[in-house]
Amino acid sequence: MALSLSGDDEEYDSESEQRAANRPKPPKMAGTTSAVKLPSNRSSSGARRRRTRCRKCEACLRTECGECHFCKDMKKFGGPGRMKQSCIMRQCIAPVLPHTAVCVVCKEAGKEDTLEEEEDKFNFMLMECSICNEIVHPNCLKVSDASGVVNDELPNCWECPKCNHAGKSGKQKRGPGFKYASNLPGSLLREQKPAKEEGDSAKRRPDRDETPRFRPEDPLHRQPPLLSPCSLPRPRPEDKLRKKRKLFDDDDDDAEEDLGPRKKERSDDPYFSKFLRQIKKEEDDEDVYEEESERGREPHFRAGVERRGRFGDLGEEGEEKDLKSELLNPCIKTPVGDSDQSHCSSPQAGPSSEGGSETQEKGPRPKARRKRRLPNRELSRELSKALNQEIQKTEDCLANENRQPLKVEPESENEEPKRLFRNGSDLGDQRSHLKTKEMNGTPWELRHFYPSQITPLGFNRSTPTNRPPPPHSPPKCVQMERHVIRPPPISPPPDRLPLKDGKTHTIQREVWMKIFGNLSHQELCVCMRVCKTWNRWCCDKRLWMKIDLNRCTSITPLMLSGIIRRQPVSLDLSWTNISKKQLSWLINRLPGLRVLRLSGCSWAAVSALCTSSCPLLRMLDVQWVEGLKDAQMRDLLSPPTDNRPGQLDNRCKLRNVEDLRLAGLDITDTSLRLISRHMPYLSSLDLSYCNHINDQSVNLLTAAGTTTRDSLTEINLSVCNRVTDHSLNFFKRCGSICQIDLRFCKQVTRTACERFIAEMSVSVPFRLKEEKLLQKSS
DNA sequence: TGCAACGTTCGG
DNA sequence: CCGAACGTTGCA
């Protein structure tokens, strides 16, 4: 077999062949060293060589989390050890060829380390073809006119000139980092269907167009109320949409605007412009930079993201859409291409392999080029690539050293996918759509006002149908679920900004950080596009303590990865269509999360909290969650069901919650009992619009022996129509209560409030801040 | 030699 | 289709 590995491979290879032909797998064959089975889709000459950890990337340097599925399986963590998989947090980002790999031609190992010139390095490094699996030194190939296509995603991986020239279509080869894809919300594995791999791009393109992944009506159906219960009316998404969308367009027409901020800075401000030019890497790779930036404008963001970003101070709005996308997707705008860093790391997650074939040679010399084609078969693929691109480029690239002296070239197909999402109609009739959602004559938009903002009349959500339609669970949305999202980076950024001349900028990182700290998220996103160093700096989690995706109608994998990358303390996913898998995945990777807002999401999604542990969570907002009733509250509050030895944790998963928002839920005293029992630190409780809440409920919360009696400082019972004056008596026993909101409680009278104030005045002075809104004075 | 874990198969 | 299982590889 054309395998460039150590001698013993021959046998196993033939064995593999046999196996492949004789499936199902025969029972253990004694005496043979059956090994790597060939992929069933194998259409080419060699068995694929297993890759191994790079041992350098952040993932490799991590220790096992001890909590993931695979860790729990490990013997060292008390598991049976059957799964034999690496910790999810340790999935190598840049799996390398094993040391034993040698060139199929000269039988020697990679020699790039012995060389200085970038080009030599490339010519003497081992490259494994993702199609025929041959491992060769590019220099050992005699193919003259064709060049190989380097797979950005994996070190030492390309489509060799032979295969490339023969027009074979490649399969995406991924390393270990991808192998658990099938176990994660973002599986990529399933995409590698052999049957689908074949076929030319010409065929695929229409294919894709026929099945747009983004259906115009989807976001409409899922449109949450325009007013959140706790805020002023927000501008309608469509108001800004046109403009914002345009920011993301990368059509030629729009390119100028698209590049907007950066270009402007560079041209308008001579100083800044000069400065930027000094930054190492940018100047030499101007084209690359541009291109990467363009490329970075990933199409899917144009799709679902409803641009109502509230990142940073969004008073100025305008570009929230851009912002939100960028925020979560900063790295893909990262300029790369610098020969000393970018490639490097190997798994440059660039768009890779399969897909179209219209790449063009730029120059004669580089023997290989980076593949720039966007896959045009499935959106999921685009997304996958974009994701990997993002992650790998910005994070890991910086960490590794492989070098590939390749040139980047423009890629026309890049623009392709975008069209899918630019259908201006997608959000076009939101307005009319919303109108159809009016209930009981109350405009949709008004349904979620807080009492102070609405007329409570007719606002009694007494039946489930009166509930604001929360988003349905996300449609079976391939693009959202097929992603490998890697753990957040830990590597410290450089202390100083490297400049082109080899020196570094005089201002230290911490000073820059202070400056960045004064910028809005929107501005940060712009800064992220300046250079890799800024990109990393601006991603510092201190700058992203709070991430707000409220009402973002489509949570994409890129967003998820962006979130993980920033490790926010506070995350607002209200009124989004996040799925259970996504949420679960997120929570498990946000160990420092303190504030989680999920209002208006579906119970299907929120139920992710049942299986995930977030011990640090202090604030949980699940108001208006569709389907969240007593039974679900029990699931939410009860200890994990996994009681295998070593997994036992009888404590409530939400035991540290201090602020709980339950507005608009059909919960009864049953839930309140659980809350009282399981949330000893509960200080603020929002039960507004809960129609089952009555005096007895208040009695429960304030009864002797309950922790809530002493811990509660704020309670919101507004628009709870079963609550009467009598409840006020119960509140007298609350030691710490500071605010009682009884606004729009039909059965609560002002007189009773005044009486309460009078009676309490002896010990704790209260006042009426508003009608039926009692607040402790001073 | 033993451990970690890759990549595939298989069962639900 | 998904995830558990496991044979075998790669390396210290």
Side-chain angles (χ1 to χ4, degrees), chain A residues 515-552:
Chain A
I515 296 169
F516 292 140
N518 289 317
L519 302 181
S520 67
H521 284 181
Q522 183 181 0
E523 291 160 334
L524 279 178
C525 289
V526 173
C527 293
M528 282 176 156
R529 290 155 67 177
V530 169
C531 67
K532 275 189 281 193
T533 305
W534 275 27
N535 183 282
R536 300 179 80 196
W537 288 351
C538 290
C539 228
D540 192 299
K541 65 180 179 184
R542 289 171 289 174
L543 302 170
W544 300 90
M545 303 282 279
K546 185 176 175 188
I547 291 182
D548 182 358
L549 288 169
N550 193 326
R551 281 158 213 275
C552 190

Short mmCIF file of all heavy atoms in Angstrom, two decimals, chain A residues 515-552:
data_model
loop_
_atom_site.label_atom_id
_atom_site.label_comp_id
_atom_site.label_asym_id
_atom_site.label_seq_id
_atom_site.Cartn_x
_atom_site.Cartn_y
_atom_site.Cartn_z
N ILE A 515 -7.58 50.83 27.73
CA ILE A 515 -8.25 51.57 26.65
C ILE A 515 -9.42 50.74 26.12
O ILE A 515 -10.53 51.23 25.98
CB ILE A 515 -7.25 51.86 25.51
CG1 ILE A 515 -6.15 52.77 26.03
CG2 ILE A 515 -7.97 52.47 24.32
CD1 ILE A 515 -4.96 52.92 25.10
N PHE A 516 -9.14 49.50 25.88
CA PHE A 516 -10.21 48.64 25.37
C PHE A 516 -11.39 48.59 26.34
O PHE A 516 -12.53 48.45 25.94
CB PHE A 516 -9.69 47.23 25.12
CG PHE A 516 -8.70 47.13 24.00
CD1 PHE A 516 -7.58 46.31 24.12
CD2 PHE A 516 -8.87 47.86 22.83
CE1 PHE A 516 -6.67 46.21 23.08
CE2 PHE A 516 -7.96 47.76 21.79
CZ PHE A 516 -6.85 46.94 21.92
N GLY A 517 -11.03 48.69 27.58
CA GLY A 517 -12.08 48.64 28.58
C GLY A 517 -13.07 49.79 28.47
O GLY A 517 -14.18 49.72 28.98
N ASN A 518 -12.66 50.82 27.80
CA ASN A 518 -13.56 51.96 27.64
C ASN A 518 -14.37 51.88 26.35
O ASN A 518 -15.16 52.76 26.06
CB ASN A 518 -12.75 53.26 27.63
CG ASN A 518 -12.22 53.56 29.01
OD1 ASN A 518 -12.94 53.43 29.99
ND2 ASN A 518 -10.96 53.95 29.09
N LEU A 519 -14.13 50.86 25.61
CA LEU A 519 -14.84 50.76 24.34
C LEU A 519 -16.11 49.93 24.48
O LEU A 519 -16.23 49.08 25.35
CB LEU A 519 -13.94 50.11 23.28
CG LEU A 519 -12.61 50.81 23.00
CD1 LEU A 519 -11.84 50.05 21.92
CD2 LEU A 519 -12.84 52.24 22.56
N SER A 520 -17.01 50.22 23.60
CA SER A 520 -18.22 49.40 23.57
C SER A 520 -17.85 48.07 22.91
O SER A 520 -16.82 47.96 22.26
CB SER A 520 -19.30 50.09 22.74
OG SER A 520 -18.89 50.15 21.39
N HIS A 521 -18.71 47.12 23.05
CA HIS A 521 -18.45 45.84 22.41
C HIS A 521 -18.36 46.01 20.91
O HIS A 521 -17.61 45.34 20.22
CB HIS A 521 -19.55 44.84 22.78
CG HIS A 521 -19.39 44.32 24.17
ND1 HIS A 521 -20.23 43.41 24.72
CD2 HIS A 521 -18.48 44.61 25.12
CE1 HIS A 521 -19.85 43.12 25.95
NE2 HIS A 521 -18.79 43.86 26.22
N GLN A 522 -19.14 46.91 20.46
CA GLN A 522 -19.13 47.17 19.02
C GLN A 522 -17.74 47.65 18.60
O GLN A 522 -17.18 47.17 17.61
CB GLN A 522 -20.17 48.23 18.73
CG GLN A 522 -20.31 48.53 17.27
CD GLN A 522 -21.35 49.61 17.05
OE1 GLN A 522 -21.96 50.11 18.01
NE2 GLN A 522 -21.57 49.98 15.81
N GLU A 523 -17.25 48.56 19.36
CA GLU A 523 -15.93 49.09 19.01
C GLU A 523 -14.85 48.04 19.19
O GLU A 523 -13.88 47.97 18.43
CB GLU A 523 -15.64 50.33 19.86
CG GLU A 523 -16.51 51.50 19.48
CD GLU A 523 -16.61 52.55 20.58
OE1 GLU A 523 -16.43 52.22 21.77
OE2 GLU A 523 -16.87 53.71 20.26
N LEU A 524 -15.05 47.24 20.18
CA LEU A 524 -14.08 46.16 20.38
C LEU A 524 -14.01 45.26 19.16
O LEU A 524 -12.95 44.80 18.75
CB LEU A 524 -14.48 45.33 21.60
CG LEU A 524 -14.10 45.87 22.97
CD1 LEU A 524 -14.61 44.93 24.05
CD2 LEU A 524 -12.59 46.03 23.08
N CYS A 525 -15.18 45.02 18.63
CA CYS A 525 -15.21 44.15 17.45
C CYS A 525 -14.44 44.77 16.30
O CYS A 525 -13.83 44.06 15.50
CB CYS A 525 -16.66 43.88 17.04
SG CYS A 525 -17.50 42.81 18.19
N VAL A 526 -14.51 46.04 16.22
CA VAL A 526 -13.75 46.70 15.17
C VAL A 526 -12.25 46.53 15.44
O VAL A 526 -11.48 46.19 14.56
CB VAL A 526 -14.12 48.20 15.10
CG1 VAL A 526 -13.20 48.92 14.13
CG2 VAL A 526 -15.56 48.36 14.68
N CYS A 527 -11.91 46.72 16.68
CA CYS A 527 -10.50 46.58 17.04
C CYS A 527 -9.99 45.16 16.77
O CYS A 527 -8.84 44.95 16.42
CB CYS A 527 -10.29 46.90 18.51
SG CYS A 527 -10.57 48.62 18.88
N MET A 528 -10.88 44.24 16.93
CA MET A 528 -10.46 42.86 16.72
C MET A 528 -10.02 42.60 15.30
O MET A 528 -9.39 41.59 15.01
CB MET A 528 -11.62 41.93 17.06
CG MET A 528 -11.80 41.75 18.51
SD MET A 528 -13.22 40.75 18.79
CE MET A 528 -12.83 40.10 20.38
N ARG A 529 -10.41 43.48 14.46
CA ARG A 529 -10.06 43.25 13.07
C ARG A 529 -8.76 43.91 12.68
O ARG A 529 -8.33 43.85 11.54
CB ARG A 529 -11.20 43.76 12.18
CG ARG A 529 -12.42 42.87 12.33
CD ARG A 529 -13.68 43.58 12.00
NE ARG A 529 -13.77 43.94 10.59
CZ ARG A 529 -14.84 44.53 10.07
NH1 ARG A 529 -15.86 44.79 10.82
NH2 ARG A 529 -14.85 44.84 8.80
N VAL A 530 -8.17 44.54 13.63
CA VAL A 530 -6.93 45.25 13.31
C VAL A 530 -5.75 44.30 13.12
O VAL A 530 -5.03 44.37 12.13
CB VAL A 530 -6.63 46.30 14.39
CG1 VAL A 530 -5.24 46.85 14.23
CG2 VAL A 530 -7.67 47.41 14.33
N CYS A 531 -5.57 43.45 14.06
CA CYS A 531 -4.45 42.52 13.92
C CYS A 531 -4.69 41.38 14.91
O CYS A 531 -5.57 41.45 15.75
CB CYS A 531 -3.12 43.19 14.22
SG CYS A 531 -2.94 43.70 15.93
N LYS A 532 -3.89 40.40 14.78
CA LYS A 532 -4.10 39.23 15.63
C LYS A 532 -3.93 39.55 17.10
O LYS A 532 -4.65 39.05 17.95
CB LYS A 532 -3.15 38.12 15.21
CG LYS A 532 -3.72 37.31 14.08
CD LYS A 532 -2.88 36.10 13.82
CE LYS A 532 -1.67 36.47 13.02
NZ LYS A 532 -0.98 35.29 12.48
N THR A 533 -2.95 40.35 17.36
CA THR A 533 -2.71 40.66 18.77
C THR A 533 -3.91 41.40 19.37
O THR A 533 -4.38 41.05 20.44
CB THR A 533 -1.44 41.49 18.90
OG1 THR A 533 -0.37 40.77 18.28
CG2 THR A 533 -1.10 41.73 20.34
N TRP A 534 -4.37 42.36 18.65
CA TRP A 534 -5.55 43.06 19.16
C TRP A 534 -6.73 42.12 19.24
O TRP A 534 -7.56 42.21 20.12
CB TRP A 534 -5.88 44.25 18.24
CG TRP A 534 -5.11 45.47 18.59
CD1 TRP A 534 -3.88 45.52 19.19
CD2 TRP A 534 -5.50 46.83 18.36
NE1 TRP A 534 -3.49 46.83 19.32
CE2 TRP A 534 -4.47 47.65 18.83
CE3 TRP A 534 -6.63 47.43 17.78
CZ2 TRP A 534 -4.52 49.04 18.75
CZ3 TRP A 534 -6.69 48.81 17.70
CH2 TRP A 534 -5.64 49.60 18.19
N ASN A 535 -6.78 41.27 18.29
CA ASN A 535 -7.88 40.33 18.31
C ASN A 535 -7.88 39.54 19.61
O ASN A 535 -8.90 39.33 20.25
CB ASN A 535 -7.76 39.40 17.11
CG ASN A 535 -8.91 38.43 17.03
OD1 ASN A 535 -8.95 37.44 17.75
ND2 ASN A 535 -9.87 38.73 16.17
N ARG A 536 -6.73 39.11 19.98
CA ARG A 536 -6.66 38.33 21.21
C ARG A 536 -6.92 39.20 22.43
O ARG A 536 -7.63 38.82 23.35
CB ARG A 536 -5.29 37.68 21.32
CG ARG A 536 -4.99 36.75 20.17
CD ARG A 536 -3.64 36.17 20.31
NE ARG A 536 -3.62 35.08 21.25
CZ ARG A 536 -2.49 34.61 21.77
NH1 ARG A 536 -1.34 35.15 21.47
NH2 ARG A 536 -2.54 33.60 22.60
N TRP A 537 -6.31 40.34 22.40
CA TRP A 537 -6.52 41.22 23.55
C TRP A 537 -7.99 41.57 23.73
O TRP A 537 -8.52 41.57 24.83
CB TRP A 537 -5.70 42.50 23.37
CG TRP A 537 -4.22 42.30 23.54
CD1 TRP A 537 -3.59 41.18 24.01
CD2 TRP A 537 -3.19 43.24 23.24
NE1 TRP A 537 -2.24 41.38 24.01
CE2 TRP A 537 -1.96 42.63 23.55
CE3 TRP A 537 -3.20 44.54 22.74
CZ2 TRP A 537 -0.74 43.29 23.39
CZ3 TRP A 537 -1.98 45.19 22.58
CH2 TRP A 537 -0.76 44.57 22.90
N CYS A 538 -8.59 41.87 22.62
CA CYS A 538 -9.98 42.31 22.71
C CYS A 538 -10.93 41.17 23.09
O CYS A 538 -12.08 41.39 23.38
CB CYS A 538 -10.45 42.92 21.40
SG CYS A 538 -9.68 44.49 21.06
N CYS A 539 -10.42 40.00 23.04
CA CYS A 539 -11.25 38.88 23.42
C CYS A 539 -11.14 38.58 24.91
O CYS A 539 -11.77 37.66 25.40
CB CYS A 539 -10.83 37.65 22.60
SG CYS A 539 -12.22 36.82 21.88
N ASP A 540 -10.38 39.34 25.56
CA ASP A 540 -10.18 39.11 26.98
C ASP A 540 -11.51 39.09 27.71
O ASP A 540 -12.37 39.94 27.51
CB ASP A 540 -9.32 40.24 27.55
CG ASP A 540 -8.84 39.92 28.95
OD1 ASP A 540 -9.69 39.73 29.86
OD2 ASP A 540 -7.62 39.84 29.14
N LYS A 541 -11.65 38.12 28.54
CA LYS A 541 -12.97 37.97 29.16
C LYS A 541 -13.35 39.12 30.08
O LYS A 541 -14.52 39.36 30.33
CB LYS A 541 -13.08 36.63 29.88
CG LYS A 541 -12.18 36.46 31.05
CD LYS A 541 -12.43 35.08 31.66
CE LYS A 541 -11.52 34.84 32.84
NZ LYS A 541 -11.69 33.49 33.37
N ARG A 542 -12.36 39.85 30.49
CA ARG A 542 -12.71 41.01 31.31
C ARG A 542 -13.51 42.03 30.53
O ARG A 542 -14.23 42.84 31.08
CB ARG A 542 -11.43 41.68 31.83
CG ARG A 542 -10.72 40.87 32.90
CD ARG A 542 -9.38 41.48 33.22
NE ARG A 542 -8.44 41.28 32.12
CZ ARG A 542 -7.22 41.81 32.10
NH1 ARG A 542 -6.81 42.59 33.10
NH2 ARG A 542 -6.41 41.58 31.09
N LEU A 543 -13.33 41.98 29.23
CA LEU A 543 -14.05 42.93 28.39
C LEU A 543 -15.43 42.42 28.00
O LEU A 543 -16.21 43.12 27.37
CB LEU A 543 -13.23 43.24 27.13
CG LEU A 543 -11.83 43.81 27.34
CD1 LEU A 543 -11.06 43.84 26.04
CD2 LEU A 543 -11.92 45.19 27.95
N TRP A 544 -15.67 41.20 28.33
CA TRP A 544 -16.93 40.58 27.91
C TRP A 544 -17.63 39.92 29.07
O TRP A 544 -18.13 38.80 28.94
CB TRP A 544 -16.64 39.55 26.82
CG TRP A 544 -16.01 40.12 25.62
CD1 TRP A 544 -14.68 40.26 25.36
CD2 TRP A 544 -16.67 40.67 24.48
NE1 TRP A 544 -14.49 40.84 24.15
CE2 TRP A 544 -15.69 41.10 23.58
CE3 TRP A 544 -18.02 40.84 24.14
CZ2 TRP A 544 -16.00 41.70 22.37
CZ3 TRP A 544 -18.32 41.41 22.92
CH2 TRP A 544 -17.32 41.84 22.05
N MET A 545 -17.63 40.60 30.17
CA MET A 545 -18.27 40.00 31.34
C MET A 545 -19.73 39.67 31.05
O MET A 545 -20.26 38.71 31.56
CB MET A 545 -18.21 40.98 32.51
CG MET A 545 -16.81 41.41 32.88
SD MET A 545 -15.97 40.15 33.80
CE MET A 545 -16.65 40.46 35.42
N LYS A 546 -20.32 40.49 30.25
CA LYS A 546 -21.74 40.29 30.01
C LYS A 546 -21.98 40.15 28.50
O LYS A 546 -21.60 41.02 27.74
CB LYS A 546 -22.50 41.49 30.54
CG LYS A 546 -23.98 41.36 30.45
CD LYS A 546 -24.65 42.56 31.08
CE LYS A 546 -26.17 42.46 30.87
NZ LYS A 546 -26.85 43.68 31.31
N ILE A 547 -22.59 39.08 28.12
CA ILE A 547 -22.92 38.89 26.72
C ILE A 547 -24.43 38.79 26.57
O ILE A 547 -25.10 38.05 27.27
CB ILE A 547 -22.24 37.63 26.15
CG1 ILE A 547 -20.73 37.88 26.09
CG2 ILE A 547 -22.77 37.30 24.77
CD1 ILE A 547 -19.94 36.75 25.50
N ASP A 548 -24.92 39.58 25.67
CA ASP A 548 -26.36 39.70 25.53
C ASP A 548 -26.82 39.27 24.13
O ASP A 548 -26.54 39.93 23.15
CB ASP A 548 -26.73 41.17 25.77
CG ASP A 548 -28.22 41.38 25.68
OD1 ASP A 548 -28.94 40.41 25.40
OD2 ASP A 548 -28.67 42.52 25.91
N LEU A 549 -27.50 38.15 24.11
CA LEU A 549 -28.02 37.68 22.82
C LEU A 549 -29.54 37.69 22.82
O LEU A 549 -30.18 36.99 22.04
CB LEU A 549 -27.51 36.26 22.55
CG LEU A 549 -26.04 36.19 22.19
CD1 LEU A 549 -25.57 34.76 22.20
CD2 LEU A 549 -25.79 36.82 20.86
N ASN A 550 -30.07 38.46 23.73
CA ASN A 550 -31.50 38.56 23.85
C ASN A 550 -32.15 38.75 22.49
O ASN A 550 -31.80 39.63 21.74
CB ASN A 550 -31.80 39.77 24.75
CG ASN A 550 -33.24 39.78 25.19
OD1 ASN A 550 -34.13 39.36 24.44
ND2 ASN A 550 -33.47 40.23 26.41
N ARG A 551 -33.10 37.88 22.23
CA ARG A 551 -33.88 37.96 20.99
C ARG A 551 -33.09 37.68 19.73
O ARG A 551 -33.52 38.00 18.63
CB ARG A 551 -34.53 39.34 20.85
CG ARG A 551 -35.74 39.47 21.68
CD ARG A 551 -36.06 40.92 21.96
NE ARG A 551 -36.65 41.03 23.27
CZ ARG A 551 -37.94 40.86 23.49
NH1 ARG A 551 -38.74 40.62 22.50
NH2 ARG A 551 -38.42 40.93 24.71
N CYS A 552 -32.01 37.14 19.90
CA CYS A 552 -31.27 36.75 18.71
C CYS A 552 -31.96 35.50 18.19
O CYS A 552 -31.99 34.47 18.85
CB CYS A 552 -29.84 36.44 19.13
SG CYS A 552 -28.78 36.23 17.78
#
